[in-house]
Amino acid sequence: MTRREFPKGFLWGSATAAYQIEGSPLADGAGASIWQRFSHTPGKTVNGDTGDIACDHYRRYADDVKLMRELGMQAYRFSVGWGRVLPDGNGRVNEKGLGFYDRLVDTLLENGIEPLCTLYHWDLPEALDNRGGWLNPDIANWFADYASVMYRKLDGRVKKWATLNEPWVVTDGGYLHGALAPGHENLFETPIASHHLLRAHGAAVKAYRAEGKNQIGIVVNIEPKHPASDDPADIAATKRADAYMNRQYLDPIFFGRYPGEMKEVFGEAWPEWPAEDYALIQQKIDWLGLNYYTRGVTKADPKAWPVGGRNEPPKGAVLTETGWELFPKGLTDTLVWMKERYGDLPLYVTENGAAMKDPPIAGGRVQDQHRVDYLRTHLSAVNDAIKAGVDVRGYMVWSLLDNLEWSLGYSKTFGIVHVDFKTQQRTPKDSARFYAEVIASNGGAA
Ligand SMILES: OC[C@@H]1[C@@H](O)[C@H](O)[C@@H](O)c2nc(CNc3ccccc3)cn21
């Protein structure tokens, strides 16, 4: 094994999201989310799987934190269920819901684990969706008011906040292709939802500056896009795909403008926005979170909406269970690209992991060697970016636990810890043991 030096103080942790692990979606006065409605809609999830129980984390959080400590985790990225705290999405606070996150954060801190809090990880309160949700311009204020409730309760114990998790997935999945809640398939709605997500991000950052004393950022998913060939049509489609996924959200935040290709991508569905929106969106942020899983290889295809290009991994590519090509160099390249394009602000890998066909438990072990190999190669890629001068400050593996993989239900597992959903028994996989060694050696075991 080659020794890999990670900076002193590099933050090693794991990531989850509320609806994917908590269960108890309506307990203690919580308001339903769009995922409660979507997952209970026949045909929307594999096997009709829902988050009704999931990993039962709402009740088992203390044991899960103990497991994190046993693995040597230094940080834990979690998300807040907006509807658990504000059942109507705004207005009255549900103290029991807020109390769960208060206890979770205290339990993490008591175990020497830094909490990183994501305010929005896709589970919009149904009550707000009934008022237009991300299509209603008022949502920027709704989101900022909710964020302020969380800042007042947790800031100081939480020192790293993220406003949104992956606005691209929220809109591409939830408003364009309908694969994710709220399940819309509407070209015109998609850029409107995107813009309102960015305004909400800006409003929440502005609210934080008024009362927060620590750091706030945003988490984006980025896939470096490569043309399937040197055919000019493939190259042009690749540029559009790169703008649509990789630059659509960070360019407005850092440059106050959308990529020029967006008008080409959306055509008549692409709206114009007032200057004051960009001023709100451009609030200075303290850090950037990157969720990296794979790269994209783009083949021109007029039928592939809205980019006019489809993803076509090269022949012979090794794919994960979600069909994503193993491409660790893309992680290095993306971290370097983010620094070069958006500046030298602190970067965290806020998600990285893979759904693999895990072998069944045997003798109390899950020998997920493929996942160990995935983590090893991607940690090496992070190290290469650091050696190239990128200020990467931490790595959160996705995910701590096998959990509800959204529309794919429990059919795809990303956890380094196996969950038996019949018994809720947690069993660290070989990848958890490997990751524990990586943490203990500050990357040396990678
Ligand atoms: O799919 C694995 C995870 C998911 O469980 C997380 O909640 C979410 O933050 C997440 N984002 C990605 C990367 N982007 C992506 C691309 C296409 C569809 C869905 C996610 C992967 N993941």
Side-chain angles (χ1 to χ4, degrees), residues 242-260:
D242 178 58
Y244 177 55
M245 180 185 280
N246 299 333
R247 291 180 275 128
Q248 182 181 182
Y249 299 94
L250 294 184
D251 277 15
I253 290 172
F254 285 91
F255 307 144
R257 66 173 187 275
Y258 285 102

Side-chain angles (χ1 to χ4, degrees), residues 20 121-122 165-166 169 291 293 324 351 398 405-406 414:
Q20 294 182 269
H121 200 128
W122 307 357
N165 180 74
E166 300 186 343
V169 180
N291 292 355
Y293 289 86
W324 297 341
E351 287 179 29
W398 184 272
E405 181 47 38
W406 304 112
F414 280 84

Side-chain angles (χ1 to χ4, degrees), residues 172 176-177 187 234 237-238 240-241 244 264-266 297-312:
D172 183 80
L176 188 65
H177 294 292
L187 186 69
D234 288 350
T238 303
R240 294 193 297 270
Y244 177 55
E264 206 184 331
V265 169
F266 282 97
V297 176
T298 308
K299 180 74 192 160
D301 176 355
K303 295 191 297 297
W305 207 39
V307 161
R310 66 175 185 273
N311 193 44
E312 191 171 84

